[in-house]
Amino acid sequence: MRRPIPSGKLIERIRKLRALSASNDSSTEAERAAAQALRLMREHAVPQAALDAAAAEREDPLVARKSYIDGLRLVPIEERSGLYAQTAGWKRSLAVEVSHYFGLQCSYASGTAIFVLYGHSSDVEAAAELYGTCARQIDRLCAEHLRAKAEAAREKYGGAAPHYWTPGDARTEGTSFRDSAVAGLTSKFEELTEESASAHAEPHALVLSRRAKVADWVSKTYTFKKSSSAEGFGGSTDFCDAGYAAGRRLDLHDRRALDAPEREVRALEGA
């Protein structure tokens, strides 16, 4: 027969008794507190693991962080650099995939750059950092690919290049590249998760338990509207393939991407 999970109030009472035992100058009082804590643990079958988990929970609590997709960064909303604005779809998609990779839940306000992360505080911070790392690399690789395409058009068509490679073409293909890069990164995340599950079964089980805990907390605390997903990517096959390949080869530990000056890809004249 399964024993009931000890309540939070009971665990907190045991923790306070233990703290009192450790900090009390009176040996009699300290022994009394320690004995009472031990009695409660035995009477209610509270394992040490439950106390350890509660301690970890206090150090790394579940949070709902209202964030903002600020250019190529995902920051707490109070740290946004400007007024509220819309954001590109690929940036929101990237935020969603990075959140899922860390076992977080997320929500966003349609048509805005507001993005909410739900999960353990340390995972939220790590997800925001990885978002910036990936967003900057995608932005840079897209700029390089657009520049190469523009140069190829100039070499092939000379002065007539603007008729064959317009600013509108650059915007369309740039969107295609970035969307596909996010898809490629998602594929990479899935492979990394599968590799972790097979190579490190026990730690992966703890990760799954942590994710389930977050999902359960969110489902009991918040209510969301259903979201819709994009139908697919526009643009040429060349840019879709190049973007997907770029997403697959992103360096998830590239600190240079975090230190690089933020910028957006802008179509140069004739690019």
Side-chain angles (χ1 to χ4, degrees):
M1 177 179 174
R2 275 190 173 184
R3 294 183 181 274
I5 298 174
S7 69
K9 289 184 178 180
L10 175 60
I11 289 177
E12 182 62 14
R13 186 179 178 190
I14 294 172
R15 183 192 71 80
K16 288 182 177 179
L17 285 168
R18 282 184 156 189
L20 179 62
S21 171
S23 62
N24 204 310
D25 294 333
S26 169
S27 60
T28 302
E29 290 294 327
E31 290 175 3
R32 184 179 297 131
Q36 189 174 355
L38 183 59
R39 178 178 60 79
L40 287 174
M41 290 179 69
R42 288 174 175 172
E43 286 182 359
H44 298 277
V46 179
Q48 181 61 44
L51 299 177
D52 294 340
E57 180 72 17
R58 286 192 299 275
E59 295 175 1
D60 191 13
L62 289 167
V63 298
R65 194 181 88 171
K66 193 172 186 179
S67 306
Y68 195 77
I69 301 175
D70 191 7
L72 301 175
R73 303 180 303 150
L74 184 60
V75 300
I77 197 161
E78 61 272 13
E79 296 179 14
R80 69 186 188 278
S81 60
L83 299 175
Y84 289 104
Q86 294 185 338
T87 191
W90 74 272
K91 295 178 181 179
R92 187 184 297 115
S93 296
L94 176 61
V96 169
E97 296 304 333
V98 169
S99 299
H100 290 169
Y101 181 58
F102 279 94
L104 303 174
Q105 300 282 306
C106 60
S107 65
Y108 56 85
S110 182
T112 76
I114 297 172
F115 194 88
V116 187
L117 298 164
Y118 306 87
H120 287 280
S121 179
S122 62
D123 293 333
V124 168
E125 293 296 332
E129 181 173 335
L130 183 59
Y131 174 89
T133 297
C134 294
R136 284 169 171 79
Q137 288 181 79
I138 291 173
D139 187 66
R140 174 177 56 79
L141 293 169
C142 183
E144 292 173 357
H145 200 72
L146 286 171
R147 191 176 299 113
K149 184 74 173 182
E151 290 174 357
R154 280 192 288 268
E155 289 179 3
K156 184 174 182 179
Y157 302 109
H163 298 288
Y164 294 94
W165 181 246
T166 68
D169 292 332
R171 285 191 293 272
T172 298
E173 300 293 15
T175 298
S176 175
F177 184 100
R178 298 185 190 98
D179 286 341
S180 298
V182 174
L185 179 61
T186 301
S187 173
K188 181 172 183 172
F189 282 158
E190 291 171 351
E191 286 189 6
L192 290 173
T193 301
E194 291 175 1
E195 289 173 4
S196 174
S198 59
H200 311 286
E202 187 172 341
H204 186 69
L206 295 176
V207 170
L208 293 179
S209 175
R210 188 177 175 93
R211 292 187 179 203
K213 182 179 180 181
V214 171
D216 182 63
W217 169 67
V218 171
S219 67
K220 292 178 178 178
T221 311
Y222 302 94
T223 302
F224 307 108
K225 295 180 179 179
K226 291 184 177 180
S227 62
S228 58
S229 58
E231 293 297 325
F233 307 134
S236 66
T237 301
D238 170 57
F239 273 79
C240 287
D241 291 346
Y244 188 87
R248 292 278 306 170
R249 66 174 184 270
L250 291 188
D251 182 357
L252 305 186
H253 306 286
D254 185 6
R255 297 294 307 180
R256 293 172 302 171
L258 289 174
D259 299 333
E262 181 177 327
R263 62 178 174 73
E264 297 285 349
V265 175
R266 293 289 181 261
L268 303 175
E269 184 178 356

